[in-house]
Amino acid sequence: MSGRWARAMLSAYRFAGAAAYPLVGPYVAWRTSRGKEDRNRRRERYGVAGRPRPEGPVIWIHAASVGETIAVVPLVESILDYGVNIVLTTGTVTSAQVADERLGDRIIHQYVPLDLKPAVSRFLDHWRPDLAIIAESEIWPMTILELGARHVPQVLVNGRLSDRSFTSWKKRANIAEALFENLAHVVAQSDVDGERFRALGARPVTVSGNLKVDTNPPPVDDRALGTLQRQIGKRPTWAAISTHDGEEVVAAEVHATLHKRHHGLLTIVVPRHPDRAEALAAQISGMGLKVARRSKGDRIGPDTDILLGDTIGEMGLYLRLTEIAFVGRSLTSEGGQNPLEPAMLDTAVLAGRNVQNFREAYQRLIDSGGAKLVRDRDMLAGAVNFLLTNEVARHEMMAAGIATVDEMRGALARTLKSLEPYIQPLVVKSRLKGANGR
């Protein structure tokens, strides 16, 4: 497939919509999140730089949202130790906040440009990256082709392909090959992901494991934790985290089923999208349950049934309030959410059966006894009841989860080894420039 013909075909996605092309990110992500972006920095979406380019080599690293950003933080920190400049792009306000909190002014943060030629060209003309590193699963036709035309090496790290995305790409095998042949290297999360990338034409492909395993547990404000722990006291607790539409009601129904059996039970519900909190609070209150909203500073009283964790960046707080966590997007939605954070924070993990996006992590946790999948609301209620009742079994699950996470570590070192041929020349170039500048 010629570059010109590939460009002509791939440009059609701008008009057909992202549904026609799996994994296409920035353009449609922006269209579906308008009103949530940082209005003061909207020009960055069109490739207009908010900062001057630093002297010397620049590595462009992209992480779409919060999960990807957290996953690449240790990788970014390792590369910074080499003394190379990094421009980190993200696609959401919350991921930008995470980048600021964890990396500060050690990197240059920009919002990722829309996957349209004028925006991408403007971005690349300004930053002139020497290497592009993309995290996980966003494949942007125009960006990939423009980087390829400029002979900028592109490496996909922590790469994964969901069942749905892989099936969609296979239907467009010629287009997939035209894109993936531009990637200098794919570092995949699992053997399954690696085989899928190879089947679509990517070369070379190595397998690193999941970078999310090598991250630190989510942080916590000790003062806030102490305050909530005092309010909760010795009440039994369980949490439903990263929940999607319908799963919050399921959690409330489980609470209604169990609260008489477990006196003083407190259920912690942490929706994936806190902007739904107002409607959720009204819906759960309509079920006859008393709700305390974290964002409002509501006190947890003896009669509080549900703590609604409607804040951003406090998952470490909520998980430290319990020893049982149901991880959402797995009962009423598909794909699942990351089970590694609750596992590494000494929590027994429960989830629905639709966890395809984190298949390997769940399989490892299930095999070790650190996680259990449930079929429906009644099975979830039974699992929570069992774990609340049986302290020994609960602590065995918690210990198995931590041990599994420890066994899975090492993805960061393997990823850095794969990146070494691309980073080392930039390190040398940076040091030579520094020496010549003195």
Side-chain angles (χ1 to χ4, degrees):
M1 179 181 291
S2 71
R4 179 179 297 177
W5 193 72
R7 285 173 182 268
M9 285 193 64
L10 293 168
S11 65
Y13 89 92
R14 287 179 289 172
F15 306 101
Y21 294 90
L23 287 84
V24 173
Y27 178 64
V28 175
W30 173 78
R31 286 182 62 86
T32 56
S33 64
R34 281 181 294 182
K36 301 178 184 178
E37 72 272 11
D38 187 340
R39 294 181 179 276
N40 294 327
R41 297 175 59 184
R42 183 179 291 178
R43 285 165 56 86
E44 292 174 22
R45 296 291 198 184
Y46 298 94
V48 179
R51 300 267 297 276
R53 185 194 189 280
E55 295 294 323
V58 167
I59 296 176
W60 171 24
I61 299 179
H62 175 67
S65 57
V66 172
E68 292 86 353
T69 304
I70 292 172
V72 301
V73 164
L75 178 63
V76 170
E77 290 175 330
S78 297
I79 296 174
L80 286 172
D81 289 340
Y82 290 125
V84 181
N85 299 304
I86 291 179
V87 174
L88 175 67
T89 59
T90 64
T92 66
V93 173
T94 51
S95 54
Q97 292 171 347
V98 169
D100 181 61
E101 291 168 1
R102 304 202 180 188
L103 296 167
D105 59 5
R106 290 181 291 167
I107 52 98
I108 297 173
H109 175 270
Q110 297 283 279
Y111 284 107
V112 68
L114 306 180
D115 197 35
L116 304 172
K117 188 178 186 338
V120 173
S121 295
R122 196 174 293 119
F123 178 90
L124 296 178
D125 286 345
H126 178 82
W127 294 109
R128 305 190 310 280
D130 299 273
L131 171 66
I133 300 174
I134 304 166
E136 292 213 14
S137 60
E138 284 201 339
I139 303 299
W140 325 323
M142 188 56 64
T143 301
I144 286 178
L145 293 174
E146 286 298 310
L147 284 166
R150 296 167 189 243
H151 306 290
V152 178
Q154 306 172 62
V155 181
L156 183 67
V157 299
N158 217 35
R160 65 180 177 89
L161 280 171
S162 67
D163 297 346
R164 180 178 298 178
S165 294
F166 181 55
T167 299
S168 297
W169 276 121
K170 283 198 300 183
K171 294 176 182 177
R172 304 168 179 84
N174 289 338
I175 295 176
E177 185 175 357
L179 287 174
F180 289 121
E181 70 182 7
N182 285 276
L183 299 178
H185 201 122
V186 172
V187 187
Q189 286 188 20
S190 69
D191 291 332
V192 171
D193 292 309
E195 287 304 315
R196 288 177 172 180
F197 279 111
R198 290 187 190 99
L200 295 173
R203 297 288 190 282
V205 178
T206 55
V207 177
S208 66
N210 194 335
L211 280 175
K212 291 176 180 175
V213 184
D214 284 356
T215 60
N216 294 321
V220 66
D221 181 324
D222 289 330
R223 180 177 296 181
L225 177 62
T227 297
L228 292 186
Q229 286 176 330
R230 286 191 293 273
Q231 293 176 10
I232 295 171
K234 296 183 178 181
R235 296 175 62 179
T237 64
W238 75 285
I241 65 168
S242 300
T243 52
H244 287 241
D245 189 25
E247 291 173 332
E248 297 87 5
V249 171
V250 168
E253 291 173 342
V254 169
H255 176 91
T257 300
L258 298 180
H259 82 283
K260 290 183 180 178
R261 189 174 303 180
H262 299 279
H263 179 70
L265 178 65
L266 177 70
T267 295
I268 303 163
V269 177
V270 187
R272 176 69 172 173
H273 302 292
D275 57 332
R276 299 170 51 232
E278 195 74 37
L280 289 175
Q283 189 175 20
I284 296 172
S285 296
M287 299 169 63
L289 301 175
K290 185 170 182 180
V291 178
R293 291 181 59 180
R294 170 69 179 155
S295 66
K296 302 289 187 182
D298 295 340
R299 180 178 178 80
I300 301 172
D303 59 344
T304 300
D305 294 293
I306 307 290
L307 169 59
L308 186 57
D310 55 345
T311 55
I312 294 171
E314 291 195 309
M315 187 62 76
L317 170 66
Y318 301 124
L319 286 173
R320 287 175 172 87
L321 296 174
T322 188
E323 294 181 341
I324 305 167
F326 165 79
V327 183
R329 199 184 177 189
S330 58
L331 268 183
T332 62
S333 298
E334 293 189 0
Q337 296 287 173
N338 180 17
L340 298 172
E341 285 186 346
M344 68 177 64
L345 277 177
D346 214 13
T347 305
V349 175
L350 302 172
R353 294 182 173 184
N354 303 314
V355 293
Q356 301 91 330
N357 291 350
F358 295 89
R359 181 183 287 110
E360 184 182 26
Y362 273 105
Q363 192 61 61
R364 294 283 294 270
L365 287 168
I366 292 166
D367 289 346
S368 71
K372 179 180 176 61
L373 301 187
V374 299
R375 180 179 58 252
D376 52 26
R377 176 196 61 193
D378 292 340
M379 193 172 177
L380 175 60
V384 174
N385 177 60
F386 175 80
L387 291 172
L388 288 171
T389 304
N390 295 273
E391 183 177 357
V392 172
R394 184 172 73 248
H395 286 177
E396 285 178 349
M397 278 189 74
M398 292 157 56
I402 292 176
T404 302
V405 170
D406 287 340
E407 290 171 2
M408 292 173 66
R409 293 189 187 278
L412 176 60
R414 289 187 285 271
T415 300
L416 285 168
K417 184 176 181 180
S418 296
L419 287 171
E420 188 172 344
Y422 308 98
I423 293 177
Q424 281 303 321
L426 304 183
V427 174
V428 173
K429 182 179 177 181
S430 179
R431 289 174 179 171
L432 287 174
K433 184 171 185 62
N436 292 335
R438 285 196 293 270

